Amino acid sequence: MRQIKSWRTPTPHRPLFGAAVEPFPATRFFDQLSFIGTPNVGCFVLETAEGLILLDCMEPLDEHRDMIVKGLADLGLELSDLKAILITHGHGDHYGRADWFRERTGCKILMSRTDYAFAQHDTRNRTGVLQWEIHDFIEDGDVFCLGGTEIRAFATPGHTPGCLSYIFPVSDEGRPHMAAMWGGTGVPYKLSDKVDYLRSTLYFADQTARYGCDVEISAHPFVDRGTDRLAVLREISDGVPNPFVLGRESYKRYERMFTDLCLEAMAAQAGAVDPLLPPPPPPPTRPKA
Ligand SMILES: [Zn+2]
């Protein structure tokens, strides 16, 4: 059969850590869900009947804090309505300056107890260790509820030991959907962490199937071409399908990508020479004839 050549332009999406990345315009892409951030890293604002929830908080930089403040204003939302910040995991590019928002608005900050401890001691974190306190925790199976909106948390360790992934309802033009946010993107280096990551992809797949997830969002838009799809949405008219609604089957394929990435990384690691192991013994010398 003749191979059909794609007419679409392939877009290389790579993280640009350390580079100054222009903010993407704050964009509402479901009836109650908006993105604020850059193609590198962002956060999501979920509107409920009793206030706003922020999912993740970008980098602990003043410019990122200001981006969130401006993003909320651009979306027509009030900073003072912020009631909670739910953090996926204890890396700086996810907990950001959540403390500043808490001081300003009195909102709660929630993350897992395990990652709170991890973030306080993670000297490998580019942005340093977490230096402020968290008093509210959310764990596997917990449901955070505000204004009738329920966000379910699931422990998905691997990327970090206490990483959480979230499932929550959204609607598009009034039609109900179920969104999933896989908390930790990158496959970890250590083999034991990879095993945890792999297990977590399978565990979360069970949960997303159970709740019928058909929408995926990522705090790192370079992973899922998030900002490309948001750009489409900024021009979309009523009735045209929302590119974030994948459908249940395609959602499973998206999710499977993380399982496959992890399996590939494990296979590569198993095939690599481990520098910590002693060198293999020399081949036996052939007895002289
Ligand atoms: Zn991370």
Side-chain angles (χ1 to χ4, degrees):
M1 205 168 75
R2 193 170 69 93
Q3 192 87 32
I4 297 173
K5 229 179 145 192
S6 173
W7 51 271
R8 304 192 188 198
T9 312
T11 316
H13 280 245
R14 296 209 172 85
L16 299 160
F17 293 122
V21 181
E22 280 295 301
F24 188 85
T27 301
R28 184 173 283 104
F29 63 112
F30 282 92
D31 298 339
Q32 57 291 91
L33 186 66
S34 302
F35 172 86
I36 299 172
T38 75
N40 224 16
V41 66
C43 59
F44 298 94
V45 193
L46 187 60
E47 296 165 54
T48 81
E50 287 172 17
L52 307 174
I53 302 167
L54 210 53
L55 297 166
D56 275 352
C57 212
M58 302 179 68
E59 299 260 10
L61 302 169
D62 288 352
E63 67 207 69
H64 280 198
R65 175 202 64 195
D66 296 347
M67 211 184 286
I68 297 173
V69 172
K70 180 178 182 302
L72 290 171
D74 290 349
L75 292 161
L77 301 171
E78 296 287 338
L79 176 61
S80 58
D81 283 341
L82 184 62
K83 295 290 187 283
I85 303 175
L86 268 60
I87 295 164
T88 53
H89 66 279
H91 281 155
D93 55 339
H94 296 263
Y95 60 71
R97 291 293 314 277
D99 59 326
W100 183 89
F101 288 94
R102 179 172 60 192
E103 271 167 37
R104 211 58 200 275
T105 67
C107 72
K108 282 185 171 184
I109 303 173
L110 296 108
M111 73 191 296
S112 75
R113 218 173 266 277
T114 305
D115 257 22
Y116 176 46
F118 167 77
Q120 286 174 300
H121 300 101
D122 180 23
T123 49
R124 290 179 59 199
N125 196 346
R126 282 176 301 112
T127 53
V129 297
L130 178 66
Q131 302 207 355
W132 33 269
E133 289 185 3
I134 291 185
H135 315 286
D136 299 295
F137 299 99
I138 186 165
E139 309 290 351
D140 182 48
D142 285 350
V143 181
F144 179 80
C145 190
L146 181 72
T149 302
E150 292 185 335
I151 302 184
R152 289 170 194 279
F154 298 96
T156 51
H159 181 80
T160 58
C163 181
L164 294 172
S165 297
Y166 297 117
I167 293 178
F168 55 94
V170 289
S171 67
D172 181 38
E173 297 186 306
R175 287 184 297 274
H177 296 285
M178 201 55 102
M181 183 176 185
W182 175 242
T185 304
V187 175
Y189 178 74
K190 265 173 63 184
L191 189 58
S192 56
D193 292 340
K194 284 190 180 77
V195 173
D196 287 343
Y197 187 102
L198 182 68
R199 215 177 266 142
S200 293
T201 65
L202 302 175
Y203 170 62
F204 195 54
D206 280 349
Q207 301 305 326
T208 56
R210 179 175 165 200
Y211 290 100
C213 291
D214 59 350
V215 168
E216 68 74 29
I217 59 168
S218 169
H220 290 302
F222 61 85
V223 170
D224 64 354
R225 298 197 170 188
T227 41
D228 287 353
R229 287 186 288 162
L230 289 169
V232 170
L233 270 158
R234 292 180 70 80
E235 304 295 331
I236 216 161
S237 56
D238 290 1
V240 176
N242 182 328
F244 279 86
V245 178
L246 306 183
R248 292 188 190 188
E249 282 310 306
S250 295
Y251 172 79
K252 282 183 195 157
R253 280 214 297 281
Y254 167 80
E255 191 171 63
R256 177 75 203 183
M257 176 183 78
F258 292 106
T259 311
D260 290 347
L261 280 173
C262 188
L263 284 169
E264 278 170 29
M266 286 170 107
Q269 196 161 9
V273 176
D274 189 337
L276 297 177
L277 290 176
T285 46
R286 204 177 280 202
K288 285 197 177 92

